[in-house]
Amino acid sequence: MKNRSSVTEFVLLGLSSLPEHQMLLFVVFIFLYMASLAGNILIVLTVMTSHNLHTPMYFLLINLSLINLLSSSVSIPKLLHNLLEGRKTIDFAGCIAQIYLFTWTLGSEALVLAAMAFDRYVAVCHPLHYTLIIRKEVWVGLIVGVWTAGLANSAVHTGLVLQLSFCGSNIINHFFCELLPVVQLSCSDTSLNEALTFLSDAVFGLGSCVVTLTSYCFILRTILKIRSREGKKKAFSTCSSHLIVVSLYYSTAVYSYIHPTAAHSLDRDKAIAVLYSVITPALNPIVYSLRNKEVKEALTKLIKRLELH
């Protein structure tokens, strides 16, 4: 790495350069981080300790919570350290690690949300064949595939970044090392990096979005065919939590990564990155605990057991 780059560390501009904003940002982000950690860990413990939730949908939910934990832990601790210390630097290796881990979580989250949408499609549209279609080997394969594909995608992008030379500015207009802002600092030819970034965005972002939207089109068509109002309400309740989470993810992440280069605004993208890397991981557990009756009941039982101990 040293042979290909004269840059040994990067400067992260963060969200504000005003000294009086640093402590306020620290308080806000440590609260969001604690909420994300507590909420997602509770979701994982709730599903693992409740036999009623030992179904493919909730095992996929565990994976979503693990992705959220990793996603928020990639960026927030370093941001908090920089806000507290007043320094906004990150060494080259640390920056590469952030790129690798965050790219991994971003792609994996898109895939796990698509897998959850497919699961809801089978549950609502083919309930009698659910156990036949979503067999153990199928959902285990989906989970392994999600993590492996995200890992491979991230490894390719990170490997290409390591081939670049950084000999000019080391100032990143972001609060953590994200792939595109770092690539734009390189003094090498980045056309391959940009082409593969666009390709992976299409495969992971648009591909997952198409699977999710198609699943919900069939789900909506099935719900509309249900005659009883109670039946429609029950069918919709099985996927309402996931639909909210999907909306949170795609309304921010996909918009941030798929737009014309000429319209690229790093200041705007920093604000959007806060939404999908910080706020969404904190909100997802709340959505599932408040909108999902089964999770709510299991979570209440878990909290009561913890209180007794």
Side-chain angles (χ1 to χ4, degrees):
M1 288 189 291
K2 291 182 180 179
N3 292 335
R4 296 195 60 82
S5 177
S6 61
V7 173
T8 58
E9 67 176 14
F10 293 98
V11 176
L12 297 166
L13 291 184
L15 297 168
S16 174
S17 59
L18 299 176
E20 58 268 26
H21 290 170
Q22 305 308 301
M23 189 50 65
L24 175 62
L25 288 171
F26 179 84
V27 172
V28 169
F29 277 90
I30 198 169
F31 170 78
L32 290 170
Y33 186 48
M34 291 298 103
S36 177
L37 290 181
N40 285 292
I41 289 172
L42 272 176
I43 289 291
V44 172
L45 292 176
T46 299
V47 175
M48 290 180 67
T49 57
S50 177
H51 294 292
N52 293 334
L53 301 182
H54 287 182
T55 64
M57 178 63 181
Y58 293 111
F59 278 108
L60 286 170
L61 178 58
I62 284 180
N63 283 268
L64 179 61
S65 291
L66 292 174
I67 289 169
N68 286 333
L69 283 169
L70 181 56
S71 173
S72 56
S73 297
V74 168
S75 58
I76 302 181
K78 182 60 178 176
L79 171 64
L80 293 173
H81 177 266
N82 288 349
L83 287 170
L84 200 60
E85 294 292 325
R87 298 177 69 250
K88 295 187 177 182
T89 59
I90 182 170
D91 60 55
F92 191 88
C95 189
I96 293 298
Q98 282 194 336
I99 292 173
Y100 177 78
L101 293 172
F102 190 76
T103 304
W104 183 14
T105 61
L106 198 66
S108 297
E109 186 169 4
L111 294 178
V112 81
L113 288 173
M116 292 171 82
F118 175 72
D119 177 89
R120 292 301 82 198
Y121 155 72
V122 177
V124 174
C125 301
H126 304 283
L128 298 179
H129 299 94
Y130 181 81
T131 54
L132 182 64
I133 297 173
I134 309 295
R135 303 182 304 278
K136 183 177 180 180
E137 56 266 30
V138 172
W139 59 262
V140 169
L142 282 174
I143 291 171
V144 172
V146 162
W147 287 98
T148 303
L151 180 68
N153 175 62
S154 180
V156 169
H157 288 297
T158 307
L160 288 174
V161 171
L162 288 172
Q163 299 303 311
L164 299 176
S165 296
F166 296 89
C167 48
S169 173
N170 68 336
I171 299 175
I172 302 174
N173 189 11
H174 214 300
F175 62 94
F176 70 100
C177 287
E178 201 170 10
L179 180 62
L180 287 177
V182 174
V183 167
Q184 289 174 351
L185 292 181
S186 174
C187 48
S188 305
D189 179 13
T190 61
S191 56
L192 179 59
N193 301 73
E194 293 170 1
L196 287 179
T197 299
F198 179 81
L199 179 62
S200 67
D201 287 345
V203 172
F204 284 81
L206 289 179
S208 300
C209 190
V210 168
V211 171
T212 302
L213 289 176
T214 303
S215 297
Y216 273 102
C217 283
F218 284 113
I219 289 171
L220 182 60
R221 188 179 70 173
T222 301
I223 290 175
L224 291 175
K225 289 181 180 179
I226 299 174
R227 294 182 179 181
S228 68
R229 184 177 178 180
E230 189 63 29
K232 289 181 178 180
K233 184 179 179 181
K234 183 179 180 181
F236 183 74
S237 67
T238 63
C239 51
S240 59
S241 299
H242 176 255
L243 188 58
I244 294 171
V245 170
V246 164
S247 301
L248 287 171
Y249 177 83
Y250 284 113
S251 62
T252 54
V254 173
Y255 173 75
S256 178
Y257 275 78
I258 302 176
H259 51 68
T261 306
H264 198 68
S265 168
L266 291 177
D267 287 328
R268 177 203 60 200
D269 286 353
K270 279 194 296 184
I272 296 172
V274 171
L275 291 175
Y276 65 73
S277 67
V278 180
I279 296 178
T280 299
L283 286 180
N284 285 350
I286 298 173
V287 171
Y288 271 100
S289 60
L290 293 180
R291 297 286 305 177
N292 190 300
K293 184 180 178 181
E294 290 179 321
V295 174
K296 192 189 300 184
E297 290 175 352
L299 182 58
T300 302
K301 291 179 183 178
L302 175 63
I303 292 173
K304 286 181 179 179
R305 287 202 300 268
L306 292 174
E307 287 175 348
L308 291 175
H309 292 287

